[in-house]
Amino acid sequence: MSVNMAVDFGGVKMQNPINTAAGTFGYGWQFQNFFDVSKLGAITTKGCAAEPWPGNPAPRMAEVRGGMINSVGLQNPGVRAFAEESGPWLDQLSKDGCQVICQVCGHSTPEYVRALELFDELCPWAAGFEINVSCPNIAAGGAACGSTPEGAGEVMRACRKVTDRPLFVKMAPANVVDVARALEAEGADGLSIINSIQGMAIDVNTRRSRVAKPKGGLSGPLCHPIAVRMVWEVAQVVDLPINGVGGVMTGEDAAEFILAGATCVSVGMANFVDPTASLRIAGELEQWAESQGVSDINELVGAFEC
């Protein structure tokens, strides 16, 4: 039995539900020698701001039980350099059938707007944009720009005026129901749930953090049940399509997100463990859909039975 695996994520037509999580897949071309990236439904590129960001000092990453903790600090070359260096390859990737979603970063609403304006101008091949509202708002003392419905709504309202292309939001793992409602009201086309969870990893011999900063972003399989729960909670209260993100290592992990209400799924930490993981998971998800006796993967979105 053949299952239709195509999905529509807020206006982005994907040939299958597998996406890649921003920051775990570079700008796509870094993986081209491992497998045919065009076989994926979409990739989400590493976040870029209007101007280059240097990121945090080393060490930036550390393994922990069940996952990893990172403190990269969203290092990026800025939108102009990104478009010039990676644009031609990404343009061809989109023509080959894999959609390209570009992540937008900023430390304030005006910074998000400026970065999105540059993306909209310089990246005609982008199918849509993901706004990372988990960036620290420097003007507000370092709290995440999207940590409250008011903050997330302000960013979305301003960005919605910049482009007619699909706009998605990478949500922080906090207050997700209220923030999701605010984002829907301000015109978001879809939600990516969730971003990494803040955690700490201490070297007990040096008594110092195992990354350069005291805290970092926790990701991997240990976060998966939390992310599935938050996807399900949000799916109950908004009509927006959801991209499930968090600890997807197998096709069954992806299937959990689909059943909880996600239209598509992003593979993150698994890319570090196995560079071909995203393609493998796409195949495993299709096999699972076939085992469920459906003709279309969309029949399984939100099919969790309480």
Side-chain angles (χ1 to χ4, degrees), residues 15-299:
Q15 61 189 344
N16 61 64
I18 300 301
N19 188 3
T20 60
T24 69
F25 205 72
Y27 302 116
W29 54 263
Q30 291 90 343
F31 286 75
Q32 64 181 328
N33 292 329
F34 292 106
F35 69 97
D36 185 356
V37 178
S38 71
K39 299 299 184 184
L40 300 180
I43 68 168
T44 301
T45 59
K46 180 172 169 57
C48 285
E51 301 297 332
W53 287 4
N56 293 334
R60 294 177 165 190
M61 299 174 66
E63 289 188 50
V64 296
R65 280 194 297 273
M68 58 180 269
I69 193 163
N70 86 85
S71 180
V72 175
L74 290 165
Q75 176 186 347
N76 72 88
V79 178
R80 290 188 183 279
F82 157 73
E84 180 179 341
E85 296 164 4
S86 299
W89 190 87
L90 292 168
D91 184 18
Q92 185 59 52
L93 182 67
S94 67
K95 292 174 181 175
D96 291 340
C98 177
Q99 300 281 22
V100 178
I101 299 170
C102 296
Q103 191 185 84
V104 183
C105 299
H107 288 314
S108 65
T109 297
E111 285 190 21
Y112 281 108
V113 168
R114 180 54 183 151
L116 183 56
E117 288 173 339
L118 288 171
F119 270 118
D120 199 51
E121 173 190 352
L122 301 174
C123 304
W125 33 263
F129 307 104
E130 180 182 83
I131 313 298
N132 182 0
V133 296
S134 297
C135 299
N137 186 333
I138 302 302
C145 291
S147 59
T148 65
E150 296 76 16
E154 176 187 316
V155 173
M156 187 65 229
R157 188 181 316 119
C159 287
R160 185 71 278 174
K161 299 174 183 178
V162 174
T163 182
D164 293 327
R165 279 185 268 182
L167 282 181
F168 311 113
V169 181
K170 183 70 169 285
M171 293 178 58
N175 201 15
V176 291
V177 168
D178 290 339
V179 171
R181 286 190 175 117
L183 291 169
E184 182 178 41
E186 296 297 347
D189 294 294
L191 306 172
S192 291
I193 304 172
I194 56 176
N195 211 328
S196 56
I197 300 169
Q198 279 207 331
M200 294 179 67
I202 299 172
D203 184 322
V204 297
N205 295 310
T206 66
R207 292 180 275 174
R208 295 181 179 274
S209 174
R210 293 176 59 200
V211 292
K213 299 282 187 176
K215 297 181 290 186
L218 187 64
S219 59
L222 77 172
C223 298
H224 183 67
I226 298 172
V228 171
R229 185 259 297 176
M230 290 186 176
V231 164
W232 180 75
E233 288 178 338
V234 171
Q236 307 309 300
V237 299
V238 300
D239 292 325
L240 297 175
I242 296 170
N243 174 34
V245 192
V248 174
M249 306 295 287
T250 67
E252 285 193 1
D253 295 333
E256 278 193 274
F257 273 134
I258 298 292
L259 291 172
T263 295
C264 59
V265 174
S266 282
V267 179
M269 196 200 86
N271 295 312
F272 294 98
V273 178
D274 172 13
T276 67
S278 295
L279 187 61
R280 169 180 55 79
I281 291 168
E284 292 173 354
L285 182 65
E286 184 171 8
Q287 291 173 2
W288 168 74
E290 290 175 351
S291 76
Q292 298 301 299
V294 300
S295 59
D296 192 313
I297 186 71
N298 291 281
E299 296 176 49

